[in-house]
Amino acid sequence: MIVRRVTRHDVEPVVDALVSAFGGDPLMGFLFGKDWERQPHVGEFFRILLGVRVALAMPAICAEDDGTILGAAMGYDVSRPAWHATHTEKWARLLAAVDGLEERLGEYGALADRFEPSQPHYYLGVIGVRAGRQGGGIGGVLLESFCTLSARDPRSAGVYLETANEASLRFYLKSGFVMRGDGVLGGDTKLWCVFRATEDGAAPLPEESA
C-alpha cells in the first residue's frame, strides 16, 4: 500500500471510496437525512470538496493498493484560499438541490468554529476508509500522513478536526488528539472537536519509510 497525493484523475475513485466509507455516519445523516446513502447528491458533496482541494493544491492524500483506492484524507493547510468560480457555482447548485442543507452546514460550521484553535493550523475536513477495508490500519496511516504534512510546515501549530462518530473519536484520542469542545447538532447529533499539536521533528511519510 502507498499513500500519495490525490490528482484530478483520482477524483471519481476517491469519491466512490469516501461514499462507501461514511455509511451510517451520524454527521452525514444530520446533513443529508437518514436515507442519505441513496441520495445522488452525496457523491457530488465529496466531489466538490475534493475538486476544490486538488485545484487549490490543498492537502488531499489517498491510500492505494494494487490500483484500488482504499481511502483518503483531505483538508486545508494554514491558508484558506478562495474557491474557484466553477466550484462555487457547483456548491450553490448542491445547496439549492438539498432542502435545508445550507442551514445545517451553517449550524455545523458555527459549532466547529467555536472550538477551532486561534493559532495557524491544518484542518482535516474528511478522512475515510472504504467499507470492507476498515479496521486494518489504513485510517491510521492516512491520519499520520496528514499530520506529518502539518508537522513539516513551520507555520502550522497542529491539526484540527471534528467527528460525530464515537468510534472515530476514540481513534483520534488514542492517536494523540485532545478534546477542544463538543456540542449537539439538530438536537440529537453529538459533535466532538479535537486538536493534535505539532511535535518537534516530523516523521517521514509512510511511503518514504524504510
Side-chain angles (χ1 to χ4, degrees):
M1 184 185 75
I2 62 169
V3 174
R4 59 175 177 79
R5 292 271 187 173
V6 174
T7 72
R8 61 186 179 86
H9 303 292
D10 300 315
V11 170
E12 289 308 316
V14 169
V15 167
D16 181 69
L18 289 175
V19 172
S20 169
F22 279 83
D25 182 75
L27 182 57
M28 295 301 293
F30 166 71
L31 293 175
F32 289 95
K34 301 299 183 185
D35 62 343
W36 70 265
E37 292 159 288
R38 285 178 263 174
Q39 290 193 31
H41 304 297
V42 173
E44 183 66 359
F45 174 77
F46 287 117
R47 189 174 295 110
I48 295 169
L49 293 178
L50 183 60
V52 166
R53 269 63 179 195
V54 172
L56 296 176
M58 290 291 103
I61 55 178
C62 62
E64 180 183 23
D65 185 35
D66 197 24
T68 300
I69 301 296
L70 305 179
M74 60 177 166
Y76 284 113
D77 62 21
V78 297
S79 60
R80 301 293 190 271
W83 290 16
H84 297 167
T86 53
H87 294 117
T88 301
E89 292 164 3
K90 289 178 180 178
W91 191 250
R93 289 197 294 270
L94 175 65
L95 296 179
V98 182
D99 288 344
L101 178 59
E102 185 169 12
E103 291 76 12
R104 291 189 292 273
L105 282 169
E107 183 181 348
Y108 162 54
L111 177 55
D113 290 348
R114 191 192 315 167
F115 300 110
E116 187 172 9
S118 59
Q119 316 100 301
H121 60 276
Y122 277 44
Y123 173 65
L124 179 51
V126 177
I127 180 171
V129 175
R130 183 183 295 277
R133 300 302 299 265
Q134 297 165 351
I138 299 168
V141 173
L142 284 167
L143 181 64
E144 291 304 318
S145 296
F146 192 95
C147 288
T148 294
L149 293 175
S150 169
R152 287 178 170 179
D153 187 338
R155 303 168 297 170
S156 177
V159 175
Y160 178 64
L161 61 87
E162 315 94 18
T163 183
N165 186 306
E166 288 191 63
S168 296
L169 175 64
R170 292 192 292 270
F171 166 63
Y172 296 132
L173 294 178
K174 288 180 180 178
S175 300
F177 284 77
V178 297
M179 190 73 69
R180 291 279 302 177
D182 59 70
V184 178
L185 301 171
D188 60 0
T189 302
K190 188 74 173 285
L191 188 75
W192 295 276
C193 304
V194 297
F195 178 71
R196 176 167 144 177
T198 298
E199 296 180 2
D200 293 335
L205 289 169
E207 71 270 24
E208 299 173 344
S209 300

